[in-house]
Amino acid sequence: MRVSLCLSSPNRFLQFCHRPNSPNPSMASGSGSLMWFRKGLRIHDNPALQQAAKESTCVYPVFVIDPYFMEPDPNAFSPGSSRAGLNRIRFLLESLVDLDSSLRQLGSRLLVLKGDPGEVIIRCLKEWEVKRLCFEYDTDPYYQALDIKVKNYASAAGIEVFSPVSHTLFDSADIIQKNGGRPPLSYQSFLKLAGQPSWASSPLSTTLSWLPPVGDVGTCEISNVPTVKELGYEEIGQDELTPFKGGESEALKRLRESIRDKEWVANFEKPKGDPSAFLKPATTVLSPYLKFGCLSSRYFYQCLTDVYKNVKRHTSPPVSLVGQLLWRDFFYTVGFGTPNFDHMKGNRICKQIPWNDDDELLAAWREARTGYPWIDAIMVQLRKWGWMHHLARHCVACFLTRGDLFVHWEKGRDVFERLLIDSDWAINNGNWLWLSCSSFFYQYNRIYSPITFGKKYDPNGNYIRHFLPILKDMPKEYIYEPWTAPPSIQAKAKCIIGKDYPKPVVCHDSAIKECKRKLAEAYALNKRLDGSVTEEDLKKLRRKLEEDENPESNTSRTRQKLIG
């Protein structure tokens, strides 16, 4: 069916697909397929699922609860596993419940197993004697290693493996091959290499008319989709829950609402948009659904191009909505083709910079107690919602790294990776490299002010008042800089700075001067050594920076003076 299907209600969509008694004329006897869901948690535009159903007498739709991502970690700084916060785990479980419901309407169901995914899948392949293994291709290093293990077993056992590229618009390996074996390092060069997606000239297959039944599961322990409580987590209060619900049905509903306003789609222009809008975010909030594959990026692309055909004019990449999908593919491609993309050391495209190793400053930033309300409000939204506007992300990432605190971008990346419901390995690392001026973007003199940037969008401070209720009665003249409010004003607002809300951890004006000085020195070193900067080189530069540091702008002394 054509993309117009996205304008139907999710229920009608599923009812249309559900034909449990429809025969499959090409079904062969004595063959079964295992459909391994990881991302791609959807029915529409799912080539792996379509292939699993083709010429199969039975299909085993499997999802494995991976302890690596799902097992509670009591030592983590927020509720969740060692890798993911509870908001993202809940979003995933909601997506699985929705997927199971869709499969049941097709006469099937989701088979949930627990354990190391590689071992579980191999055990299932042995027990069920399937002839075909289908799963969506994934460029993340974790899945790359996992897939090699599973593919090797399948190949040795004579099991057909079908692993199509459908999580992205393009095949990252193809782009890299076109570029002589290396990923393009600029967006424009990526666009030239990529061209138009090969599949875009014909309609995508967005429905399944049937699914073969689930076969005999033997002795494998199958369960329903667990609740967060069944995984070992305590329920958290409604105030701490993200307002965004997981699942393909929700994704299609949000997509339908987003593209209904054709003029808004046509005129969308990043980086414009209001980062302080929270009751109705100034963007689609489709990123979590793209991350888990509840929404096909290819289907989204096709819906957007259909809108563009029916308007007089529209924005273009890199600022358009289609441009945002292309940014996603760009980061996927660079991440896939760059060894150690998620680290500074050993990463050939990353500037080597002597970042501070300051756990106190990191904790203040992570726990929303920097003393800068705009920054702290964003970090509260991150913790509670697992999402914030892209410009808000830019502000807090800049503040932590090159803007004020000079803390290593990897530390901030880890916090985002844990707390964001849309955390995506390639995009998260790519954006932190960009915003710390470690790669892609090098204009380190351009700083997001923690005071004036938010004020131009929200002069009354409504965003701050919502996420930092301790400041709700602070007059708007002081809400972005509450430490400047006279004691009488603070008392009247029931918010004494240094007691009820912290003083700034650094003085912004002196901190940015220090950050710029350090980055200038680091850039000069990288240029002088042609990027071949060793750990010893960084140690020498760090010592030099400390010796040259102006006592009046010393970050640690400023912090002690303001906190004390």
Side-chain angles (χ1 to χ4, degrees), residues 149-331:
K149 176 181 177 180
V150 173
K151 284 179 180 178
N152 285 344
Y153 170 80
S155 177
I159 298 170
E160 174 193 345
V161 175
F162 182 71
S163 183
V165 174
S166 55
H167 190 62
T168 50
L169 304 179
F170 300 94
D171 185 336
S172 295
D174 286 349
I175 302 293
I176 291 168
Q177 185 179 14
K178 286 181 183 178
N179 201 43
R182 286 198 167 192
L185 297 182
S186 75
Y187 182 77
Q188 291 302 327
S189 60
F190 169 81
L191 291 186
K192 288 178 182 177
L193 286 164
Q196 290 296 313
S198 58
W199 48 265
S201 58
S202 56
L204 289 171
S205 175
T206 56
T207 65
L208 272 178
S209 59
W210 63 279
L211 267 180
V214 176
D216 182 3
V217 297
T219 61
C220 291
E221 293 186 22
I222 307 297
S223 68
N224 293 320
V225 178
T227 63
V228 291
K229 190 173 182 180
E230 288 169 342
L231 286 176
Y233 296 100
E234 293 183 9
E235 288 288 348
I236 56 177
Q238 194 67 32
D239 185 51
E240 299 293 316
L241 291 176
T242 178
F244 308 115
K245 184 181 178 182
E248 178 184 23
S249 299
E250 188 69 23
L252 292 173
K253 176 185 174 186
R254 187 170 285 276
L255 173 65
R256 182 175 68 248
E257 291 171 350
S258 296
I259 64 174
R260 181 182 294 138
D261 187 344
K262 292 180 172 54
E263 286 303 310
W264 181 84
V265 171
N267 295 321
F268 181 91
E269 189 174 353
K270 190 178 179 182
K272 293 179 180 179
D274 184 354
S276 68
F278 60 94
L279 293 176
K280 186 180 179 183
T283 185
T284 64
V285 196
L286 286 170
S287 54
Y289 304 94
L290 291 167
K291 179 264 186 308
F292 283 107
C294 302
L295 175 64
S296 159
S297 62
R298 309 193 310 176
Y299 186 40
F300 188 15
Y301 179 97
Q302 210 164 63
C303 286
L304 291 174
T305 54
D306 274 6
V307 170
Y308 293 161
K309 291 173 186 174
N310 293 296
V311 294
K312 290 182 179 179
R313 61 179 66 87
H314 60 82
T315 54
S316 301
V319 299
S320 63
L321 274 174
V322 159
Q324 305 321 299
L325 289 174
L326 292 167
W327 274 112
R328 178 176 181 265
D329 265 66
F330 167 67
F331 281 132

Side-chain angles (χ1 to χ4, degrees), residues 411-469:
K411 305 269 190 177
R413 180 275 318 278
D414 289 345
V415 173
F416 271 31
E417 182 181 310
R418 176 176 187 78
L419 296 180
L420 284 170
I421 56 174
D422 61 5
S423 176
D424 190 304
W425 184 84
I427 299 168
N428 191 30
N429 281 290
N431 276 315
W432 276 95
L433 284 163
W434 186 298
L435 290 161
S436 65
C437 281
S438 294
S439 191
F440 306 116
F441 178 77
Y442 303 109
Q443 297 178 41
Y444 58 81
N445 287 307
R446 294 176 61 182
I447 302 292
Y448 291 91
S449 167
I451 298 165
T452 60
F453 188 81
K455 191 183 293 185
K456 70 180 179 181
Y457 293 98
D458 182 21
N460 191 51
N462 293 331
Y463 177 83
I464 292 170
R465 297 176 200 281
H466 179 82
F467 289 106
L468 294 175

Side-chain angles (χ1 to χ4, degrees), residues 3-13 252-253 256 299:
V3 296
S4 59
L5 193 63
C6 69
L7 302 178
S8 308
S9 73
N11 289 335
R12 284 180 58 201
F13 169 73
L252 292 173
K253 176 185 174 186
R256 182 175 68 248
Y299 186 40

Side-chain angles (χ1 to χ4, degrees), residues 4-51:
S4 59
L5 193 63
C6 69
L7 302 178
S8 308
S9 73
N11 289 335
R12 284 180 58 201
F13 169 73
L14 291 171
Q15 287 166 4
F16 180 82
C17 298
H18 176 37
R19 298 178 193 163
N21 298 318
S22 298
N24 177 15
S26 62
M27 183 184 290
S29 61
S31 63
S33 296
L34 193 158
M35 172 63 202
W36 182 16
F37 285 99
R38 298 101 65 89
K39 297 172 189 170
L41 305 179
R42 63 181 184 271
I43 303 299
H44 74 279
D45 183 34
N46 195 329
L49 181 60
Q50 291 165 358
Q51 184 67 15

Side-chain angles (χ1 to χ4, degrees), residues 486-550:
S488 60
I489 297 292
Q490 294 182 31
K492 187 176 180 182
K494 302 182 186 65
C495 182
I496 305 302
I497 305 305
K499 177 188 173 186
D500 303 309
Y501 181 73
K503 294 178 181 179
V505 292
V506 293
C507 172
H508 174 62
D509 290 342
S510 57
I512 59 171
K513 291 176 184 176
E514 279 302 297
C515 286
K516 289 176 181 178
R517 183 179 71 86
K518 291 174 180 177
L519 280 167
E521 293 271 12
Y523 270 43
L525 177 67
N526 278 264
K527 184 177 181 180
R528 188 165 66 250
L529 298 179
D530 195 26
S532 300
V533 180
T534 66
E535 185 62 32
E536 187 58 34
D537 294 327
L538 282 181
K539 286 180 180 177
K540 289 179 181 177
L541 178 56
R542 190 174 281 109
R543 284 196 296 269
K544 179 181 183 299
L545 292 172
E546 289 172 355
E547 290 169 2
D548 295 346
E549 202 156 27
N550 182 349

Side-chain angles (χ1 to χ4, degrees), residues 301-414:
Y301 179 97
Q302 210 164 63
C303 286
L304 291 174
T305 54
D306 274 6
V307 170
Y308 293 161
K309 291 173 186 174
N310 293 296
V311 294
K312 290 182 179 179
R313 61 179 66 87
H314 60 82
T315 54
S316 301
V319 299
S320 63
L321 274 174
V322 159
Q324 305 321 299
L325 289 174
L326 292 167
W327 274 112
R328 178 176 181 265
D329 265 66
F330 167 67
F331 281 132
Y332 266 83
T333 301
V334 181
F336 181 60
T338 305
N340 300 308
F341 184 65
D342 54 345
H343 296 287
M344 180 178 80
K345 294 178 184 177
N347 183 348
R348 64 179 178 81
I349 71 168
C350 181
K351 298 279 189 196
Q352 302 299 298
I353 298 169
W355 299 106
N356 293 337
D357 185 16
D358 194 319
D359 288 339
E360 287 185 23
L361 287 177
L362 174 67
W365 175 83
R366 182 184 67 213
E367 296 162 13
R369 47 182 179 84
T370 67
Y372 288 91
W374 172 244
I375 300 299
D376 291 342
I378 294 169
M379 295 305 290
V380 171
Q381 185 183 25
L382 168 61
R383 177 173 59 79
K384 290 188 173 186
W385 287 25
W387 182 91
M388 64 282 209
H389 189 274
H390 57 268
L391 288 178
R393 302 180 194 209
H394 293 186
C395 287
V396 294
C398 177
F399 183 87
L400 179 71
T401 56
R402 64 185 172 87
D404 289 77
L405 304 187
F406 210 69
V407 171
H408 203 309
W409 63 266
E410 290 178 18
K411 305 269 190 177
R413 180 275 318 278
D414 289 345

Side-chain angles (χ1 to χ4, degrees), residues 73 94 135 324 378:
D73 180 2
E94 290 170 346
F135 57 90
Q324 305 321 299
I378 294 169

